[in-house]
Amino acid sequence: MEPEQKRTYRVFRAGGRSFPVYLEYDEQLDESYPAYPDFEERPEYTEEGQPFATAEQESCLHCKPNAVGKPPPGDCGGCAWFYREQTPCDPIGICMCEARRREYKSGEERSE
């Protein structure tokens, strides 16, 4: 069987950007799955320097419970800093934690 062409699953929007997510085929499992951007391996930032994140990303040391009395979340999706722009279920969002914000130096290019 030949490898399947990448098919667009959905396009998610966050921070004024569009992120196409493709279906990729796993031969061992014999099924397709959505392949989200890997912002840990290839960080991307908003114009204001806030990092993009996926809800399933492992939480960082700055994570914050999204409700009083809850334990720290295990992923970004459960973190109070994770901002979803369109729906409460958006899988791609922006980390609003100031500790993770990137400061741009003059003359530095911003990732698009």
Side-chain angles (χ1 to χ4, degrees):
M1 175 186 224
E2 284 190 38
E4 190 174 308
Q5 287 260 344
K6 280 188 181 181
R7 292 180 307 185
T8 303
Y9 167 65
R10 268 189 76 188
V11 176
F12 295 97
R13 290 173 177 44
R17 301 262 312 274
S18 294
F19 296 97
V21 173
Y22 300 96
L23 286 178
E24 292 188 0
Y25 182 73
D26 184 315
E27 288 183 24
Q28 288 183 320
L29 297 175
D30 191 30
E31 62 184 42
S32 293
Y33 63 93
Y36 293 92
D38 185 345
F39 295 120
E40 290 175 291
E41 189 174 309
R42 290 176 303 284
E44 295 188 45
Y45 299 87
T46 65
E47 287 291 320
E48 294 77 30
Q50 298 300 142
F52 287 100
T54 61
E56 65 184 19
Q57 257 178 247
E58 190 174 321
S59 60
C60 71
L61 61 105
H62 303 290
C63 68
K64 177 174 138 179
N66 58 12
V68 177
K70 279 191 157 186
D75 59 27
C76 288
C79 181
W81 297 119
F82 188 69
Y83 173 69
R84 291 173 161 107
E85 224 168 87
Q86 296 180 342
T87 77
C89 299
D90 287 350
I92 296 176
I94 302 166
C95 176
M96 300 305 287
C97 177
E98 282 300 311
R100 295 200 55 227
R101 184 178 180 171
R102 177 178 174 178
E103 293 297 328
Y104 288 102
K105 297 170 181 67
S106 64
E108 182 179 2
E109 284 190 33
R110 298 177 187 206
S111 62
E112 287 299 322

